[in-house]
Amino acid sequence: ACASAPRTRRGRRAAEAEVAGEPSPTTKSGFKSWWKKNAKMDSKALRKMGLMCLLSYGFVSNVNALLLILLATYRSILATGASPLTDKAALKQFGLTWAGLYVISNLIRPVRISIALAISKPIDNIVKWFQDKLSCKRWLAIGISIFMLNICLTISLLWGGMMLVSAVTGVNVSASQFGVLVKAGKAATKH
């Protein structure tokens, strides 16, 4: 072994990156370049990676939106003591909280993309399972998977999340009226 060769795993990777002309992954600039590269990724870039990545990102986006709604609802109830579905002050607090969370959510888009990439294989397995069990064509299995994950599961998570928020806060929040919350969130982002 060469005396100047780095002995740690981290040191070897940094040295290999420098030899390859890339910024060291252990430096602040290496992280910044990774973040800039991945932050620019959007649905077009995901489409190039494959249909399962795009479908996975759709599911991750739905879950992200649900989390924003649930966290903003919880925060507005804590701040006002009332449901944002029945009280104007709580609805205003919901909108402000949702807008702030939305900004943060966009800043961490690379994390959402990474999650989508990580779950694309399991989603592909779900598609294959439907295809095998129903003896149908792939396009139909994809459609069923989208319906089950992005519609049925999303609605179930919303409903369950609203029930949880109601149970934790003691304030009744009905998931059947969540359209009021979405409108408040959209209005808050326009200001």
Side-chain angles (χ1 to χ4, degrees):
C2 181
S4 64
R7 294 185 181 178
T8 65
R9 178 180 224 163
R10 187 176 192 181
R12 268 194 297 266
R13 277 188 279 185
E16 289 169 0
E18 287 173 16
V19 170
E22 301 169 359
S24 171
T26 60
T27 65
K28 189 176 178 181
S29 64
F31 176 76
K32 279 184 179 179
S33 65
W34 175 86
W35 189 268
K36 284 180 182 178
K37 175 186 164 204
N38 289 302
K40 292 178 183 177
M41 195 173 288
D42 58 5
S43 60
K44 287 181 184 178
L46 285 171
R47 261 187 245 131
K48 289 179 184 176
M49 292 181 179
L51 180 62
M52 289 306 117
C53 287
L54 184 63
L55 296 178
S56 299
Y57 188 74
F59 176 70
V60 170
S61 292
N62 284 354
V63 171
N64 178 64
L66 285 174
L67 288 174
L68 296 181
I69 289 170
L70 294 173
L71 289 170
T73 301
Y74 178 73
R75 175 68 184 114
S76 68
I77 290 172
L78 285 182
T80 64
S83 168
L85 300 172
T86 59
D87 183 76
K88 283 195 176 244
L91 185 60
K92 182 178 180 181
Q93 179 65 44
F94 169 86
L96 293 171
T97 304
W98 189 87
L101 291 171
Y102 182 79
V103 169
I104 293 168
S105 173
N106 279 321
L107 292 174
I108 62 168
R109 181 173 285 152
V111 174
R112 293 193 338 241
I113 291 170
S114 298
I115 293 169
L117 292 172
I119 68 168
S120 64
K121 181 66 174 162
I123 289 185
D124 189 44
N125 291 341
I126 290 170
V127 170
K128 288 176 185 173
W129 184 84
F130 278 120
Q131 192 174 3
D132 292 342
K133 294 296 177 191
L134 300 176
S135 299
C136 62
K137 295 188 181 218
R138 184 159 173 83
W139 67 266
L140 182 57
I142 290 170
I144 292 168
S145 299
I146 290 170
F147 176 75
M148 296 302 289
L149 291 171
N150 288 346
I151 297 173
C152 296
L153 186 58
T154 299
I155 291 170
S156 299
L157 290 172
L158 174 66
W159 198 268
M162 287 295 187
M163 288 175 51
L164 179 64
V165 168
S166 289
V168 169
T169 62
V171 174
N172 186 27
V173 181
S174 174
S176 62
Q177 297 176 327
F178 88 97
V180 174
L181 300 178
V182 173
K183 287 179 186 176
K186 286 182 179 178
T189 57
K190 289 180 182 176
H191 297 300

